[in-house]
Amino acid sequence: MTILYGAIRMSTEMREFSSLSDFIKFVDGELAELRRSLGELLRVLEDVRAKAEQDKKLRELLSKLTGASGAQPSPPVVDLRGLKVAINPSAEVELGLLEQLVEALNTKITQLQAIRKEIEVLGGTDIEASVKAIIIDGVPRALIIKVS
């Protein structure tokens, strides 16, 4: 199964908008896409969480039956310069990695909401201005506002 989370972008770009209200619409669109992706991811996370719980119960039951310790070593997660690689991970390892993704999405949503709230004040004015937004990893980091 392949799931694409389109809202998760790792890029650097400059986008131009004809007005602050157009920029706000862009931020609203990004927020909507992130929330949609988060909802999809949370459904996947719940499935993996249920599987991890079943795996844990099964290991505990087998441990009681055999008298052996239920701790089965999980395949290692290798860190390659910041890229975590897990080959045939246990449900618990997969759960942990997905939880990190959920946390990153929540952080990005929070950042965009804060930006929107602050810029909304400027967008409500009748000032005609074009906007260039410097966007890094899907979050505006700088705005260049040029009054017409």
Side-chain angles (χ1 to χ4, degrees), residues 13-70:
E13 63 182 318
M14 182 174 73
R15 296 192 67 168
E16 295 187 39
F17 303 91
S18 59
S19 66
L20 283 166
S21 61
D22 285 348
F23 172 72
I24 291 171
K25 288 177 190 172
F26 164 77
V27 171
D28 287 342
E30 293 294 299
L31 280 167
E33 180 66 21
L34 283 168
R35 288 180 180 126
R36 184 193 63 73
S37 293
L38 182 60
E40 289 175 16
L41 181 59
L42 288 173
R43 283 188 287 281
V44 170
L45 185 68
E46 285 308 309
D47 291 344
V48 172
R49 184 172 282 134
K51 186 177 183 318
E53 202 51 43
Q54 289 175 350
D55 288 353
K56 181 180 176 184
K57 287 178 184 178
L58 181 59
R59 279 195 311 273
E60 288 172 355
L61 178 61
L62 290 173
S63 171
K64 287 179 184 176
L65 291 173
T66 62
S69 76

Side-chain angles (χ1 to χ4, degrees), residues 5 11 14 18-19 30 44 46 73 76 89 100 103 111 127-128 135 141 143:
Y5 300 102
S11 65
M14 182 174 73
S18 59
S19 66
E30 293 294 299
V44 170
E46 285 308 309
Q100 289 175 10
E103 185 177 325
Q111 290 172 332
I127 298 172
E128 290 187 32
I135 302 170
R141 303 292 182 186
L143 291 181

Side-chain angles (χ1 to χ4, degrees), residues 79-133:
D79 192 325
L80 300 174
R81 298 180 191 232
L83 174 66
K84 293 181 181 173
V85 178
I87 299 171
N88 296 325
S90 67
E92 290 176 11
V93 170
E94 186 177 355
L95 180 64
L97 294 172
L98 289 174
E99 286 172 339
Q100 289 175 10
L101 180 55
V102 166
E103 185 177 325
L105 275 175
N106 275 327
T107 298
K108 191 177 283 192
I109 288 170
T110 301
Q111 290 172 332
L112 284 172
Q113 287 172 329
I115 289 167
R116 190 202 187 291
K117 183 178 178 183
E118 296 297 326
I119 295 300
E120 191 173 30
V121 174
L122 291 173
T125 64
D126 60 353
I127 298 172
E128 290 187 32
S130 63
V131 177
K132 291 180 183 176

